[in-house]
Amino acid sequence: MRRRHSALLAFLLATSMLAAPAFAQKLPTPEELKAHETTPGKRYEPSLDVLREQEMKKPGVEEGIPTLTDEEWAIANTIYFERCAGCHGTLRKGATGKPLTPDVTREKGYEYLKAFITYGSPAGMPNWGTSGELTEREVDIMARYLLNEPVAPPEWGMKEMRDSWKVLVPVDQRPTKPMHDIDIDNLFSVTLRDIGEVALIDGNTYEVVARIKTGYAVHISRFSKSGRYLYTVGRDGLINLIDLWMNPPQTVAQVKIGIEARSVDSSKFEGWEDRYAIAGAYWPPHYVILDGLTLEPLRIESTRGYTYDTEEYHPEPRVASIVSSHWGPEFVVNVKETGHILLVDYSDINALKVTKIESERFLHDGGFDSTKRYFLVAANARNRIAVVDLKERRLVALIDSRGDRPHPGRGANFVHPKYGPVWATSHLGDETITIIGTDPEGHPEYAWKVVQTLEGQGGGSLFVKTHPNSRHLYVDTPLNPEPEISSSVAVFDIDNLEAGYEVLPIGEWSGIAEGQRRVVHGEFNKQGTEIWFSVWNAKNQESAIVVVDDRTLKPKKVIKFDGLITPTGKFNVYNTRFDIY
């Protein structure tokens, strides 16, 4: 290890990278680099991998700027959108990571870029070269690529949406009652990430009810307030509307709302149930209001605009997450790069009213408190939690999460024995689990404050989970670099949190001996008596779903079937309909 750092220092000196004040920087110590190599929070950022498939015109030749062949340009696009764009932005103008536009990269120069890509930095840049993730040739290609002008993927407007829109089963031809005796409320929609499907699994019998073709790498499944319809969104921007009353359930409408997407939901306020759906895109940066029963695109709203704090124009603020308010006819739209939480009033979409709430930049995911009045969302690159009162429609708090990169999913609500109703989040970058008071009326002294922090197994957590009928708090760690940690979960006794956690060896219980066996995304059944975990392996390796008895913390069932490939998120109909978590 020390020889590697000495070689890095010698290389930087030999290429005179430290000579120019414009980009002089403090060299990381060996200890910092070692810590960086094993910190999953510094490795994780959702890629924009679908953009690699888009045809983008190669920039023109500029004097003094190294060119790329057509083959190299294709390689560079694939690498950039799979590994770099999530942090540095589609247009390289910066997001969680710093800008990589030519005015910046050309000042640094080829040798600097090559070294930085190779060795990374403790501030968050992965060591792509020394880790073996990129070959020497690929590092060379990327250094030259970054010296050229970026080229944007194509836009995606109403014409493209309408051209992609399909109503496969018209509303008047759909059944008027359920055509089977399945307990729909206890169905699970399970993402089969790498094959572009969801599996619907009966939560009572553990049998597969249907496998449905969807967009690539479904990010979330959301259910209509009535419970009849399932909406899925793929990373490729494809929205599927699935009728759960049909036998078997099947897709009745589709639309592609962009080229990269992550979020979808439907109207839930009384009197507006199932009327509208909404979907948000990473590229182009916009959200779309759709007819809830046919997915007809009705209105597109761009999120391009100015950051809330420095009021700098940002060309690609991504729609990170969306929830549907229970307090009014509004969607809550979280705009990542600008730090705005939008309350989109859908009561009259022809005269759309949008309340723009300034919160914090790099908004990601979040969920409601137990009353569903307050929405808590992680600004993960700023290590803060923003809280919005959906009744009074205002920001009520910005809270330091006390950990590195909070990643709550929807978070976890429970009644703390001392602090009353609370909400919890885990973190990508370290082992911290943060507990925040959420009861300003019954426990005002604790409201919107961190009342307790717990120490979990390690960094790399994506989701925490509990249920009103459970007294356990589950924390996954699928992105931890240690196989033993990534293949297990920590579980805390809510009534004795100080006692620490018990480790559940989910990967071992699955019976799978090969692969990393990343255990991810706990989801309770409707009754709150068992929790399901995905054992997420590579596409060519065996995966499974392990069902754990919440009372005994013992394995209850291992679900395997042909086609269970890369299972990730699981969404129970009842819990998702009513935002129970």
Side-chain angles (χ1 to χ4, degrees), residues 346-362:
Y346 53 76
S347 61
D348 184 352
I349 66 170
N350 295 313
L352 198 66
K353 293 183 290 186
V354 179
T355 301
K356 184 181 289 188
I357 298 174
E358 296 182 351
S359 59
E360 184 57 283
R361 293 180 68 184
F362 311 114

Side-chain angles (χ1 to χ4, degrees), residues 365-409:
D365 206 356
F368 298 113
D369 78 310
S370 58
T371 70
K372 303 176 183 59
R373 172 173 173 174
Y374 300 97
F375 175 68
L376 298 91
V377 59
N380 55 12
R382 293 279 177 91
N383 298 328
R384 303 181 89 179
I385 305 294
V387 184
V388 173
D389 182 338
L390 295 178
K391 181 180 180 181
E392 297 187 1
R393 305 170 72 253
R394 64 183 181 89
L395 184 75
V396 294
L398 281 173
I399 306 164
D400 184 337
S401 75
R402 299 191 187 178
D404 184 14
R405 300 199 182 197
H407 194 287

Side-chain angles (χ1 to χ4, degrees), residues 258-295:
I259 298 172
E260 274 269 353
R262 296 293 188 280
S263 50
V264 68
D265 212 333
S266 65
S267 52
K268 291 185 176 179
F269 189 60
E270 184 178 357
W272 296 89
E273 298 92 334
D274 301 14
R275 177 85 64 87
Y276 294 118
I278 184 173
Y282 270 25
W283 186 269
H286 62 217
Y287 59 89
V288 184
I289 298 176
L290 311 156
D291 183 283
L293 300 182
T294 67
L295 296 184

Side-chain angles (χ1 to χ4, degrees), residues 51 103 105 133 153 229 245 265 280 409 440 469 484:
L51 292 178
D103 59 314
T105 59
E133 293 278 349
Y229 290 107
W245 282 10
D265 212 333
N469 294 334
E484 186 175 342

Side-chain angles (χ1 to χ4, degrees), residues 31-42:
E31 290 73 20
E32 288 173 326
L33 277 177
K34 182 171 179 59
H36 166 64
E37 288 178 349
T38 57
T39 304
K42 303 302 186 188

Side-chain angles (χ1 to χ4, degrees), residues 466-467 469-474 491 524 528-531 548-554 556:
T466 189
H467 187 278
N469 294 334
S470 170
R471 295 305 290 169
H472 292 121
L473 176 66
Y474 298 83
V491 58
F524 274 87
T529 57
E530 58 189 38
I531 183 169
V548 176
D549 186 304
D550 179 65
R551 183 180 61 84
T552 65
L553 300 181
K554 301 296 182 184
K556 186 174 181 180

